[in-house]
Amino acid sequence: MLTVRCARCKRKLFRYEKVGEGRLLRCHKARITRVFEGQFLDTGLSCPCGARIGSDEGNWIGMIPGRVVTTGTRSS
Ligand SMILES: [Zn+2]
């Protein structure tokens, strides 16, 4: 599981089941296992600090590069 945090304010946004290697470019909504402070809106994902994190693409969130930091392990 990865804990996804805002790169600006370090708030925890959500927890995510990441499969495979590589950067977090898309977050599939079905793999978001827990929401902390991430604000999921019709237009996308934002942080309470005002940072825009990603855009809503239907089944996934299109992550804006550089807006989050992740901690934790990913399943392979
Ligand atoms: Zn933030």
Side-chain angles (χ1 to χ4, degrees):
M1 291 296 170
L2 291 180
T3 298
V4 180
R5 294 172 180 264
C6 175
R8 184 201 282 178
C9 70
K10 307 297 193 255
R11 278 183 175 90
K12 284 188 196 176
L13 298 175
F14 58 91
R15 189 175 292 163
Y16 186 68
E17 184 180 359
K18 177 81 168 75
V19 176
E21 295 299 318
R23 291 168 58 91
L24 203 58
L25 300 177
R26 291 177 176 180
C27 279
H28 291 263
K29 293 175 182 174
R31 296 200 205 129
I32 294 173
T33 57
R34 184 167 174 187
V35 175
F36 297 108
E37 295 192 71
Q39 298 175 327
F40 290 87
L41 311 171
D42 288 345
T43 51
L45 171 63
S46 296
C47 177
C49 77
R52 184 167 160 77
I53 305 300
S55 58
D56 192 312
E57 304 290 345
N59 290 332
W60 64 80
I61 302 293
M63 304 297 283
I64 300 172
R67 296 293 172 87
V68 297
V69 292
T70 59
T71 55
T73 57
R74 43 189 73 189
S75 46
S76 54

